[in-house]
Amino acid sequence: MRPSHRVFVALTAILYCYILVVAAGDTKKHLPTQPLDLNTATIEQLQQLPEVGPTTAKSIIRFREKSGPFRRVEDLLVIRGISKQRLEKMRPYVTVASSPAAPKKPQ
């Protein structure tokens, strides 16, 4: 390989690495400033959470639609892919607002 070709290859590799670093910096999440209510958060809002991408956000919404509202944050553990470790990273950014009590049936 000629010296000029080696320099070109090296500079191309450096440029490629620089582009990857810059692109990775642009995709950094903006964490919620207030905890998100798991029972009302949208897919877009859920994706702001650490460890949550589009697939996990959709799974959270799907669980909520099928099983009803979350009763506690720990209910996230039943969702595939959410481990205790992932939950602990998400915990500061999520909440479950108290839902109104269900009306009592007359006796």
Side-chain angles (χ1 to χ4, degrees):
M1 205 184 289
R2 295 178 307 182
S4 61
H5 184 68
R6 286 185 193 152
V7 170
F8 175 77
V9 171
L11 289 175
T12 303
I14 291 169
L15 180 61
Y16 181 74
C17 290
Y18 176 77
I19 291 170
L20 287 176
V21 169
V22 170
D26 289 343
T27 61
K28 186 170 180 157
K29 290 187 178 197
H30 300 285
L31 298 173
T33 56
Q34 294 182 341
L36 298 176
D37 182 0
L38 292 173
N39 291 321
T40 59
T42 64
I43 289 176
E44 292 79 15
Q45 290 171 323
L46 291 169
Q47 288 182 64
Q48 294 175 357
L49 298 171
E51 303 288 321
V52 176
T55 302
T56 303
K58 289 176 189 174
S59 295
I60 292 169
I61 300 289
R62 198 173 313 118
F63 176 84
R64 186 172 74 196
E65 290 171 348
K66 287 184 177 181
S67 302
F70 288 91
R71 295 183 183 184
R72 48 190 200 134
V73 172
E74 291 78 13
D75 291 344
L76 287 172
L77 290 171
V78 301
I79 296 173
R80 184 179 183 165
I82 298 183
S83 64
K84 289 181 182 180
Q85 292 83 7
R86 281 181 84 180
L87 177 62
E88 290 311 311
K89 291 177 184 176
M90 295 165 47
R91 187 181 295 279
Y93 305 101
V94 293
T95 189
V96 174
S98 58
S99 57
K104 295 183 179 180
K105 294 180 183 178
Q107 295 181 357

